[in-house]
Amino acid sequence: MIKGYPAMTTIRDIIYVSHAGTSSVEIVVCVPSFRRPQHLRLTLNSLAAQQTSHRFAVVIVDNDSGKRESVVEAVGFLERSGLPGVCLVEPQQGNCHAINAAFETALRYFPTATMLMMIDDDEIASPQWLHLMVEAALDSGAEVVGGPVFPRFDDPTKQALAHHPAFRPAYDRSGPVPIIYGSGNCLMVRRVFTALANPRFDIRFNFLGGGDTDFFTRCQRAGMTFYWVAEAVIEETVPEARTHPRWLAARGLRIGAINYRIRALIAASPVSRARLLVRTLAILPLSLWRAAGLAVRERQLLIALHPIVVAIGGVLAAVGIEPQPYKDKAKPV
């Protein structure tokens, strides 16, 4: 068992291991993957093209124990690139299960690594990404470092949606920030996993999403510091389906539900829970003002409606109605 890490609860299938335990490895890049082998290939190629003197390894988790489409790409990449790494299959489906498997495997197989990074299997890292993130962590002393994920739309006519909050990065400038929200472009120093009481993504967020926001909220409450590197760019491929109004509305409802659930987990007493309910209801009329401001500034109806949809998602979550988009995704195909 890894110090500071709970005991493993499932048996994972380790498919391929290269250069495990290599003492020169400073960083491990974790890549959870689910039924996107073609996209995964682009992600891994971007890792092989990193321009850095820092020695890194790659841990790739296939979260589809039935089809295992990512395994072929992952093993082929590790063989071709010569990078240290591990390919494994996590049998329990769900984003949080896959990420926890990546973290635990990285810490176990590369015990001298001081930093863990994450990139999703539909993202492409810029050549300087890893170097910029690592240097920022070393220079700032922050426990958690984040960077922007910019959309790369399959349909170029949808480029105006880059300003939509569903796609726009949280910050524009490099420097200390109060928190980061997503794990698609992040770095965590090893002590994050020994300082937290539970250094895992909470599996209650498996099919809703938001396990990363919850994790970083717990880091923030534990007194950890955050830093943003605007130059450490990652691009996310955005299929046409994710630009439709229905998907954007569902995304807004999900964000509202995630925000409510994270606050509800913190609200331990009946009084704090009552305050949370009042706050959640109050956000709804306030969202109208935010929507009006966005309408004037962006002149895009889909963007302007986002605060209202998020507020509605929070209210629905307060009465027990939550979207479960990743639950449908996990069904066998």
Side-chain angles (χ1 to χ4, degrees):
M1 182 170 130
I2 302 165
K3 182 180 179 182
Y5 218 89
M8 185 171 65
T9 57
T10 60
I11 298 175
R12 294 164 184 146
D13 192 356
I14 304 297
I15 304 297
Y16 185 88
V17 179
S18 64
H19 308 294
T22 303
S23 60
S24 60
V25 168
E26 305 171 62
I27 305 105
V28 182
V29 181
C30 299
V31 189
S33 185
F34 185 81
R35 296 179 183 165
R36 286 192 286 217
Q38 294 84 6
H39 286 291
L40 176 63
R41 183 183 308 166
L42 300 176
T43 301
L44 297 177
N45 286 343
S46 75
L47 295 181
Q50 289 300 296
Q51 299 171 2
T52 182
S53 59
H54 296 289
R55 177 82 163 154
F56 68 96
V58 183
V59 169
I60 307 143
V61 179
D62 190 334
N63 196 212
D64 183 5
S65 60
K67 301 184 75 172
R68 301 190 176 201
E69 294 176 314
S70 300
V71 165
V72 174
E73 292 296 336
V75 173
F77 165 76
L78 291 173
E79 289 178 338
R80 290 191 309 271
S81 68
L83 287 169
V86 181
C87 169
L88 69 146
V89 175
E90 166 54 57
Q92 295 187 101
Q93 276 191 344
N95 180 257
C96 295
H97 283 309
I99 291 171
N100 291 335
F103 288 164
E104 185 174 329
T105 302
L107 294 168
R108 173 164 292 152
Y109 280 84
F110 300 97
T112 61
T114 58
M115 301 177 190
L116 268 60
M117 301 180 69
M118 269 195 62
I119 184 171
D120 288 337
D121 66 346
D122 59 349
E123 296 178 343
I124 300 170
S126 55
Q128 290 285 316
W129 169 67
L130 186 144
H131 190 80
L132 291 169
M133 294 284 281
V134 171
E135 290 299 311
L138 293 173
D139 292 342
S140 68
E143 282 89 359
V144 183
V145 177
V149 177
F150 292 115
R152 178 189 288 184
F153 296 102
D154 284 352
D155 182 353
T157 66
K158 302 296 180 67
Q159 188 58 40
L161 287 176
H163 295 280
H164 193 287
F167 303 116
R168 186 172 180 173
Y171 307 103
D172 296 322
R173 297 181 180 180
S174 298
V177 292
I179 192 173
I180 68 169
Y181 300 97
S183 59
N185 183 356
C186 72
L187 176 153
M188 293 157 285
V189 301
R190 195 181 187 98
R191 63 179 173 273
V192 167
F193 298 93
T194 57
L196 287 179
N198 181 8
R200 278 189 173 133
F201 277 29
D202 189 333
I203 60 172
R204 287 174 289 186
F205 291 89
N206 247 337
F207 300 121
L208 169 65
D212 44 9
T213 304
D214 169 71
F215 184 85
F216 295 133
T217 298
R218 287 187 277 127
C219 289
Q220 183 190 50
R221 288 171 62 81
M224 297 179 194
T225 55
F226 296 78
Y227 196 88
W228 187 260
V229 190
E231 299 79 15
V233 172
I234 279 178
E235 287 189 319
E236 175 187 22
T237 56
V238 181
E240 186 178 357
R242 291 191 177 187
T243 62
H244 290 174
R246 180 180 294 180
W247 186 91
L248 292 169
R251 176 69 176 252
L253 292 174
R254 185 164 66 90
I255 291 172
I258 290 168
N259 292 341
Y260 178 83
R261 182 183 283 195
I262 291 172
R263 291 167 184 149
L265 290 173
I266 297 171
S269 69
V271 172
S272 58
R273 287 194 291 270
R275 288 175 178 167
L276 173 60
L277 180 59
V278 171
R279 176 183 176 183
T280 301
L281 294 173
I283 289 174
L284 192 53
L286 290 174
S287 69
L288 300 176
W289 292 103
R290 291 192 61 199
L294 282 173
V296 171
R297 187 166 66 250
E298 301 293 346
R299 299 184 182 277
Q300 288 277 336
L301 181 61
L302 286 177
I303 296 176
L305 288 175
H306 182 74
I308 300 174
V309 177
V310 171
I312 293 172
V315 173
L316 291 175
V319 297
I321 302 173
E322 290 183 347
Q324 298 280 296
Y326 297 117
K327 192 168 187 177
D328 291 335
K329 179 183 176 184
K331 292 178 181 177
V333 295

